């Protein structure tokens, strides 16, 4: 007999997975000087470039960035779609109202980057670092973080729907005032997580569930003595 209140037989629709980017198979080589205000970049390849400056209103699609660094760079009110970022250094990069649509970010560094009020739709982030990254007030839909270092990342006030964190280190991450729909944490490290009330609606699997319980107890004012 199934106990009253059991979730065993409740149907749970699967998470929607992100669509893959459609990168041009033969993008033309691009120069750093093309990364300027109001640029429209289609089917280009920034390879080994250093991109700098405060840039606004860029449209980039069907493109590839590899072994490229953003140095002292910022971006506002721009759309990057169907683009593959492979081994890209976004450390301390600042983005405001930027949309990533159908993008892959692989083996890249986002340490200390700021993504304020930005939109991530159909995005996969793989095998990189995003510790101390700030995503405050941003919106995530159909996003996967896989094997990413997210220690002390700040998701405060973010909206997440159909988002998966898999094998990520989220020690000290902040989730205060988040809104979550169909969010899963699988085999993640969830020590000393802040704003645990913002995780309402999420599913946690693996050892991170026990780690998260300690943070939940702390936020509830419960003292646990071992």
């Amino acid at each position: 007999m199934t106990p009253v209140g059991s979730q065993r037989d409740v149907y749970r629709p699967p998470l929607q997975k992100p669509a893959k980017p459609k990168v041009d198979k033969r993008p033309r080589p691009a120069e750093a000087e093309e990364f300027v205000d109001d640029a429209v970049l289609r089917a280009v390849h920034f390879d080994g470039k250093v991109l700098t400056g405060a840039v606004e209103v860029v449209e980039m699609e069907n493109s590839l960035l590899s072994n490229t660094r953003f140095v002292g760079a910022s971006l506002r009110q721009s759309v990057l779609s169907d683009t593959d970022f492979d081994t890209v250094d976004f450390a301390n990069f600042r983005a405001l109202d930027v949309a990533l649509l159908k993008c892959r970010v692989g083996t890249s560094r986002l340490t200390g980057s700021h993504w304020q009020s930005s939109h991530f739709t159909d995005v996969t982030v793989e095998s990189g670092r995003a510790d101390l990254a700030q995503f405050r007030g941003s919106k995530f839909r159909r996003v996967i973080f896989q094997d990413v270092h997210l220690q002390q990342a700040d998701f405060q006030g973010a909206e997440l729907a159909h988002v998966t964190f898999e094998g990520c280190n989220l020690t000290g991450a902040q989730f205060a005032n988040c809104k979550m729909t169909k969010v899963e944490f699988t085999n993640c490290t969830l020590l000393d997580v802040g704003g645990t009330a913002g995780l309402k609606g999420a599913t946690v699997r693996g050892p991170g569930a026990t780690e998260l319980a300690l943070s939940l107890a702390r936020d509830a004012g419960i003292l646990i003595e071992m």
Side-chain angles (χ1 to χ4, degrees):
M1 180 175 178
T2 301
V4 176
S6 172
Q7 300 296 311
R8 186 186 308 168
D9 298 324
V10 175
Y11 172 70
R12 298 181 181 180
L15 267 69
Q16 298 172 9
K17 300 298 184 182
K20 295 182 179 180
K22 296 180 180 178
V23 179
D24 193 278
K25 294 181 179 179
R26 299 182 64 183
R28 69 167 180 82
E31 299 300 327
E33 291 75 17
E34 296 182 58
F35 187 70
V36 294
D37 291 350
D38 302 308
V40 178
L41 302 166
R42 295 191 174 95
V44 299
H45 183 192
F46 288 99
D47 185 17
K49 304 302 180 183
V50 177
L51 306 181
T52 63
V55 179
E56 299 183 357
V57 197
V58 170
E59 293 183 26
M60 181 187 295
E61 62 180 345
N62 307 116
S63 296
L64 170 64
L65 283 77
S66 57
N67 303 303
T68 291
R69 293 189 298 143
F70 287 89
V71 178
S74 64
L75 188 62
R76 294 168 55 96
Q77 298 177 328
S78 299
V79 178
L80 314 176
S81 60
D82 284 301
T83 294
D84 192 328
F85 299 91
D86 184 35
T87 318
V88 172
D89 190 347
F90 288 99
N92 301 313
F93 176 74
R94 292 182 175 269
L96 175 63
D97 191 20
V98 171
L100 269 67
L101 312 175
K102 289 205 299 182
C103 291
R104 173 188 169 272
V105 182
T107 323
S108 295
R109 182 171 174 244
L110 290 82
T111 300
S113 58
H114 289 237
W115 303 81
Q116 183 177 352
S117 301
S118 293
H119 298 255
F120 299 79
T121 303
D122 291 312
V123 174
T124 300
V125 184
E126 302 173 322
S127 304
R129 300 196 67 93
D131 42 318
L132 299 170
Q134 293 197 17
F135 301 102
R136 288 192 175 194
S138 292
K139 296 182 178 180
F140 299 80
R141 184 169 184 83
R142 294 188 300 276
V143 174
I144 293 177
F145 290 93
Q146 186 172 33
D147 299 322
V148 180
H149 292 272
L150 284 156
Q151 295 97 317
Q152 299 183 58
D154 190 347
F155 290 88
Q156 292 186 63
E159 297 182 17
L160 299 87
H162 294 271
V163 175
T164 299
F165 294 87
E166 183 176 343
C168 296
N169 188 337
L170 287 144
T171 299
Q174 297 292 324
F175 292 98
N177 301 313
C178 283
K179 295 181 180 178
M180 296 195 175
T181 304
K182 299 295 295 182
V183 176
E184 294 185 355
F185 296 84
T186 302
N187 296 324
C188 293
T189 301
L190 293 165
L191 290 168
D192 200 26
V193 169
T196 55
L199 294 170
K200 182 179 179 180
T203 299
V204 182
R205 299 186 179 91
T210 302
E211 298 165 350
L212 182 60
L214 297 174
S215 296
L216 287 165
R218 179 203 61 209
D219 289 352
I222 300 172
L223 178 63
I224 298 177
E225 296 182 348
M226 306 298 287

